[in-house]
């Protein structure tokens, strides 16, 4: 269940993000297809010397892309650690009490009362039996004067 209301304006942002993600996936898939066709079909019929130079340049470009990815990854990890520290220093959220459902009809509930040595057995919608082994003789009633 979402904790933001329908009027918060976040729904539109969600659709924009989904659209951007779908567009990025389509562009990446198209680039993959173009790269595979260029690799296997060799439509330009380039001589081996030119392919060797292009291969070296592609290696240098991929090295810089990898270095940039490493820098971005380290920055993201540092931001995550900083965020975790802020959350740890903040007040912990108040835990909501667990939801307790009433027992189904006809089920038996037993309460043990160790301080008095007694036990209460109850059937919902039925009888209530109290058993106290420490009760005095005579059914727990005081003698009448």
């Amino acid at each position: 269940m979402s904790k933001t209301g329908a009027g918060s304006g976040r729904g539109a942002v969600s659709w924009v993000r989904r659209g951007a993600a779908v567009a990025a996936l389509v562009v990446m898939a198209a680039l993959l297809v173009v790269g595979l066709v260029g690799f296997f079909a060799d439509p330009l019929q380039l001589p081996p010397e030119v392919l060797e130079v292009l291969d070296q340049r592609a290696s240098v470009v991929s090295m810089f892309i990898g270095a940039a990815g490493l820098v971005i990854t380290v920055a993201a990890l540092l931001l995550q650690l900083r965020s975790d520290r802020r959350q740890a220093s903040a007040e912990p959220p108040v835990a909501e009490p667990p939801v307790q459902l009433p027992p189904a009809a006809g089920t038996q509930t037993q309460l043990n009362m160790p301080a008095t040595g007694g036990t209460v057995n109850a059937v919902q919608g039925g009888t209530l039996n109290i058993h106290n082994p420490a009760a005095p003789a005579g059914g727990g009633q005081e003698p009448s004067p």
Side-chain angles (χ1 to χ4, degrees):
M1 190 95 198
S2 175
K3 292 186 180 184
T4 59
S8 67
R10 295 186 69 176
V13 174
S14 171
W15 284 106
V16 170
R17 286 183 183 170
R18 287 182 186 167
V22 168
L25 287 174
V26 168
V27 169
M28 288 192 312
L31 288 174
L32 177 65
V33 169
V34 168
L36 288 174
V37 167
F39 180 76
F40 288 115
D42 193 21
L44 301 176
Q45 301 296 324
L46 297 174
E49 297 83 23
V50 175
L51 288 176
E52 186 176 330
V53 170
L54 291 176
D55 180 47
Q56 290 172 353
R57 290 181 182 173
S59 296
V60 172
V61 169
S62 67
M63 180 186 64
F64 282 113
I65 290 174
L70 181 64
V71 169
I72 291 171
T73 303
V74 169
L77 286 173
L78 291 175
L79 288 173
Q80 182 67 36
L81 287 173
R82 185 180 298 171
S83 173
D84 289 345
R85 285 189 197 129
R86 277 192 216 140
Q87 287 179 356
S89 66
E91 232 177 83
V94 177
E96 295 180 15
V99 176
Q100 295 186 2
L101 300 175
T107 59
Q108 183 172 351
T109 305
Q110 178 175 346
L111 301 172
N112 294 321
M113 299 180 292
T116 59
T119 303
V120 176
N121 290 320
V123 177
Q124 186 174 355
T127 60
L128 175 67
N129 299 320
I130 300 175
H131 173 69
N132 189 355
Q141 298 175 350
E142 301 245 347
S144 29

